[in-house]
Every structure is written in structure tokens, then in C-alpha cells.
Amino acid sequence: MQQYSGFGLLKHSLSHHENWQRVWRNPTPKKKYDVIIIGGGGHGLATAYYLAKEHGITNVAVLEKGHLAGGNIARNTTIVRSNYLWDESAALYEHSMKLWEGLAQELNYNVMFSQRGVYHTCHTLQDMRTNERLVAANRLQGIDNEMVDAEQLQKEIPSLDCSKNARYPIMGASVQRRAGNARHDAVAWGYARAADALGVDLIQNCEVIDMEISDGKITGVKTKQYGVLKADRVGCVVAGNSGVLAKMAGFQLPVESHPLQALVSEPIKPFLDTVVMSNHVHGYMSQSDKGDLVIGAGIDGWVGYGQRGSYGIIEHTLQAIVEMFPCTSRVRMNRQWGGIVDACPDASPIISDTPVKNLFFNCGWGTGGFKGTPGSGNLFAHTLANGKPHPIAEPFSIQRFHTGALIDEHGAAGVAH
Amino acid sequence: MFHIYCPHCAEYREEEEFHGAGQAHIARPLDPEACSDKEWGEYLFFRKNPRGLHHELWVHAAGCRKFFNMTRDTQTYEIKEVYKIGEKPSVVAE
């Protein structure tokens, strides 16, 4: 792997940047792998990287039906935080956060992780109580999170309307200062490059159309382009399409796929150096380095695979943004898109074995998968390497929907993001 | 944005008046007490989630507030038909 550095940039400028190495190979698949990962998005690529790096399993293929990092990792609003309520989730997301903090160095790829803080504004007494409870829980879990009152909030974010004139006046906010955002594509590309360097085969344009299952045990997958590829273990990390793959394997998941929309405005001068989200008026916003306002919308309440949602949701979201930031009322929106999120009934993910032996699923991240990318990959790699889950991933088994040990994070995952 | 025909009001209305309530035709176990944890869990949480035709339950929340069923393609978003509770769909999902 070619090491990236400031010096390298200088050196390549002398040859007009025409001699950069390819970032990853484009291999033809082998007939047999130790582990096949279905899904070449952020989570799948991270899984492959940690399998190779931490568990020494390099005979691994990542099968992607389109191009690498073309699903939800390219269709999110890049927020990273770990202030969830329950110990199980806090451990999971904090594990991820700690990996985020050293990720650019580890991958030798600038993922532009910016710990600019994430605010959750409170507009009602109930909001205040919920967030104070969250802050208290996070403190006990050793995770930073604090409350600020409206006056302090106004000082920290001058453009936010904290006056009494707002329709839903802001009473305060919780803020996790270590939270922030990152460059979404870079995360996936960084993992892809590092995994490839360790010997993982990244197979693009390779769609899985069936699973080879005999005696309740998976032995490989059937692909449209390359026929049957054998594997000892198979991991599915396909987000919105999890239900489709589960159907191939002959079982159902407690997951429904919904369109989740987001939009960006035209680029404007920098005025917002943090992330603000409101569960109550239901919208959130940050400003990218390019100057666009990155705005999140809620999910459409029906099952959809079309990567687009309804206009009513966009309208509602922009109402919320203008309510919080009246100065943005004349800003024009540039692009809008939808991703397909696989939502669980308890708003927590599934990292689990399945009724089929040697087949594992990592899904159900719903509206909050981006922040989980490193942690999800790291823990799922452990599951795939050992055949049993990492202690942090254990509570996120699919069994919880039978035992009733749900991890209800609807409060902490309030605004879809 | 869907333009939905409410079979109770016998009118087309905007999607905003409606609320999707998930998969249709989920039969409540006749004797819940006799269910195993697995059966009860499957009934409560596990769903078909198909990419393609889907029978779903909708409610005309800001209208007549009555429930009805809809068969819709989850990939193209085309609404195939709407039918009242208790009626059988003429377009059947696999």
C-alpha cells in the first residue's frame, strides 16, 4: 500500500499527479474463501479490514452488487456521537467512537473526523427531563455529555433562535462535545484501501442471488456474475436489503426497510460550526466544509426500497430548520436523496448469528448506522472470526426479540439521523 | 408522494392524510397464553419486509380515521389496489 503523506503529495505534484497507484485491486473472485462478506458499504468494508487486521483472516471476499460505498454510506448526514441511553448501546457506540478517534491515523486516510460537538435542543419540560436523564446515564457510563441552558446555548450558537419568540422556545440543550461528523465516503474508501492492502478481495458488480444451504448450514453463495462461491462463514451487512437476503436464507427478520431522506443546500458562508438536532421540531443540521447545509429528514413510515421518499417529509423538515434557524429561510436547497434504512422495532441494531449455521447478520442499524461504522465492523469481525459474538455485541442478538430483552433507544435515536 | 384512494370515503386524497400501519393480514394468535416466547416474538416483531408487492395496513388518520388495506410495490411505489378490512386482495403478493 502506498503510504499517503504531505511529502508524497509534494512528490506527486512534480509529475502532475499522474502516477498515483490504484487505491485498490480489482480481482477476479476465487472459488473458495474462509469468509464471504455480502455488502461493500462502510460496515462491510470495516468488517473485512478488522477480520484481516485483528484476526489474521485474509482469505476474505467482500461482494458488492453495485460499486463500493454506494449505499447508505453515501447517503447519510455523517453524524458521529455516542450519547445513547442504555449501557448496552452506550458500550457499542462508545466502542465505535474510540475507534473513530484514531481512525485517520490507523487507516492512513484522512476521514476528516471533526469533533465539533452535537447539540440536542430541548423545547419542552419533557425534553429537558429526557435529556437530563440521558446526560446522567452517560456520566455513569463514563461518556461525556452535558446540559447547557438557553442563555449559554445562544452564546455558543449565535444563529440558533433561542428567544422566547420562537413557536417552540428552546429551554436548553444537551451537548456531547466529543461528537461531531466525518467525511462519509472517505471512511469507506479508507477501510477498502486498508483491507485490500491486507489481502481482502473486493469484488464489485457481483450480486448475490441465492444462498447455498444444506443441512441448515451455509456453504457458499450463488452470484449472478461468478456462479457459486464457497465459504466457511458468511456475513450479511446489507442494510436496507437485509430482508431480501434473509428471505433467500429462509427466515424473517424483525426489520423493516424505510426511505430516510436528507438534503443539502447551496454552499453559503460558514455560520454553523457544530451539529444541532431537535427531537421536538424534528430536524437537524450541520454545515459541511464546502459550505452546504446538511439537513436531515425523518423516515417515511412505510416500507420502501426506492431510495426516494415523499415530499411531505422534506417540507416538514425544512419547517423545523427554519423554526430553529430563521436566518436560513431564504437558502435554496440543492440536492435531496433517500437511503434505505433497516429499522428494528427497538431502534437498536442486530449483530447476530441466525437460524442458519455459519451465516451471520449485521443489520437493523436503522437511522444511525454511520456513527457505528468502525465499531460495527470491529465487533462483527470478532463474531465472524470466532463464530460467537464479542461481549459488547452479545446483547444485540436476534434472540432478544424472542426473550423480550429489547434495547429501547427510541429516545436517544429520536430524530432520524 | 402517494395519491391514495380511501375505500371508505370513496375519494383520492394526499398521502399526508394517511398513516401507514405496517404489514397487513397478521393474525393475532387465538390463544396468546399458549404461545411460546418464540411464537409471540415472531407475531410481534418479525415482518416480511419484501422488495416487491406488499400488503399493508393504512389508516385515513386525518380523514375518516378508518383502517383499510393496500397492495403496493415497495420498489416502484406503485399502488396496485386498496381494499377494505376483511376483503381479499385480487393482486396477491408471493
Side-chain angles (χ1 to χ4, degrees), chain B residues 14-58:
Chain B
E14 291 295 321
E15 180 191 337
E16 284 207 308
E17 290 191 13
F18 298 86
H19 185 77
Q23 187 179 321
H25 307 303
I26 299 173
R28 185 181 165 88
L30 289 172
D31 184 5
E33 298 294 328
C35 280
S36 67
D37 286 352
K38 187 159 189 282
E39 285 164 346
W40 188 246
E42 305 261 327
Y43 161 68
L44 280 184
F45 300 122
F46 288 68
R47 295 294 178 261
K48 285 198 177 121
N49 196 27
R51 185 167 64 188
L53 287 187
H54 192 214
H55 299 299
E56 6 183 76
L57 191 62
W58 282 73

Side-chain angles (χ1 to χ4, degrees), chain A residues 118-130:
Chain A
V118 173
Y119 292 79
H120 287 254
T121 57
C122 308
H123 304 253
T124 63
L125 267 180
Q126 183 58 44
D127 265 357
M128 288 296 284
R129 289 184 191 120
T130 306

Side-chain angles (χ1 to χ4, degrees), chain A residues 83 116-121 131 135 139 144-148 153 156-157 173-179 274-275:
Chain A
N83 50 351
R116 57 182 66 184
V118 173
Y119 292 79
H120 287 254
T121 57
N131 277 274
V135 166
R139 289 276 173 106
D144 74 305
N145 199 3
E146 62 190 271
M147 293 299 294
V148 290
L153 187 62
E156 293 184 12
I157 313 172
S174 69
V175 50
Q176 184 178 26
R177 299 199 189 274
R178 275 164 71 234
T274 184
V275 184

Side-chain angles (χ1 to χ4, degrees), chain A residues 65 241 244 247 252-257 259 302-306 308 310-312 345 401-402 406, chain B residues 1-2 15-16 23 37-38 41-42 45-51 54 58 72 74-77 94:
Chain A
K65 74 169 174 177
N241 284 307
V244 178
K247 196 177 162 205
Q252 286 189 358
L253 291 170
V255 160
E256 281 196 321
S257 298
W302 30 267
V303 173
Y305 286 85
R308 62 191 191 280
S310 291
Y311 276 106
F401 296 97
H402 292 145
L406 302 187
Chain B
M1 197 91 187
F2 300 139
E15 180 191 337
E16 284 207 308
Q23 187 179 321
D37 286 352
K38 187 159 189 282
E42 305 261 327
F45 300 122
F46 288 68
R47 295 294 178 261
K48 285 198 177 121
N49 196 27
R51 185 167 64 188
H54 192 214
W58 282 73
R72 191 175 58 88
T74 61
Q75 180 71 53
T76 64
Y77 296 173
E94 53 172 309

Side-chain angles (χ1 to χ4, degrees), chain A residues 55-254:
Chain A
H55 306 280
I57 302 173
T58 55
N59 187 21
V60 175
V62 178
L63 310 183
E64 167 56 48
K65 74 169 174 177
H67 58 271
L68 292 184
N72 289 349
I73 193 86
R75 294 174 164 267
N76 60 78
T77 46
T78 75
I79 294 166
V80 178
R81 61 184 179 89
S82 63
N83 50 351
Y84 278 68
L85 177 64
W86 300 105
D87 289 351
E88 294 88 347
S89 335
L92 176 67
Y93 292 106
E94 183 60 18
H95 181 67
S96 197
M97 177 68 97
K98 289 202 172 117
L99 290 169
W100 273 112
E101 285 174 331
L103 199 59
Q105 295 296 328
E106 182 174 347
L107 298 178
N108 179 230
Y109 204 99
N110 187 3
V111 298
M112 298 167 78
F113 181 45
S114 159
Q115 292 177 295
R116 57 182 66 184
V118 173
Y119 292 79
H120 287 254
T121 57
C122 308
H123 304 253
T124 63
L125 267 180
Q126 183 58 44
D127 265 357
M128 288 296 284
R129 289 184 191 120
T130 306
N131 277 274
E132 275 163 10
R133 182 183 177 206
L134 259 172
V135 166
N138 289 153
R139 289 276 173 106
L140 290 172
Q141 290 149 351
I143 293 168
D144 74 305
N145 199 3
E146 62 190 271
M147 293 299 294
V148 290
D149 59 20
E151 204 179 323
Q152 176 67 17
L153 187 62
Q154 187 69 85
K155 278 188 200 137
E156 293 184 12
I157 313 172
S159 54
L160 182 67
D161 183 6
C162 297
S163 72
K164 295 268 182 274
N165 301 328
R167 186 167 177 190
Y168 303 103
I170 292 171
M171 301 174 78
S174 69
V175 50
Q176 184 178 26
R177 299 199 189 274
R178 275 164 71 234
N181 51 19
R183 165 104 169 94
H184 55 105
D185 290 325
V187 180
W189 294 339
Y191 273 123
R193 172 170 168 268
D196 177 81
L198 293 170
V200 173
D201 283 353
L202 309 175
I203 320 283
Q204 307 185 63
N205 296 315
C206 176
E207 184 177 356
V208 171
I209 50 172
D210 207 359
M211 306 226 180
E212 300 282 305
I213 297 169
S214 55
D215 298 331
K217 194 172 149 187
I218 193 158
T219 57
V221 295
K222 192 172 175 190
T223 65
K224 204 181 204 169
Q225 288 81 358
Y226 300 102
V228 174
L229 305 177
K230 295 273 170 204
D232 295 337
R233 284 183 181 144
V234 177
C236 281
V237 205
V238 296
N241 284 307
S242 295
V244 178
L245 279 157
K247 196 177 162 205
M248 282 179 204
F251 56 88
Q252 286 189 358
L253 291 170

Side-chain angles (χ1 to χ4, degrees), chain A residues 308-389:
Chain A
R308 62 191 191 280
S310 291
Y311 276 106
I313 300 277
I314 303 172
E315 190 181 2
H316 180 77
T317 304
L318 291 177
Q319 282 168 354
I321 295 304
V322 174
E323 159 76 17
M324 288 195 291
F325 295 94
C327 62
T328 62
S329 67
R330 310 293 282 225
V331 176
R332 288 167 299 188
M333 291 301 131
N334 222 353
R335 290 182 295 120
Q336 168 273 344
W337 64 90
I340 302 306
V341 298
D342 41 334
C344 274
D346 61 354
S348 286
I350 294 170
I351 307 172
S352 178
D353 54 0
T354 65
V356 178
K357 203 167 180 294
N358 291 342
L359 174 64
F360 301 86
F361 264 73
N362 181 357
C363 63
W365 285 84
T367 60
F370 181 75
K371 67 175 79 69
T373 305
S376 158
N378 188 275
L379 298 172
F380 196 46
H382 186 280
T383 303
L384 283 169
N386 300 300
K388 58 174 194 277

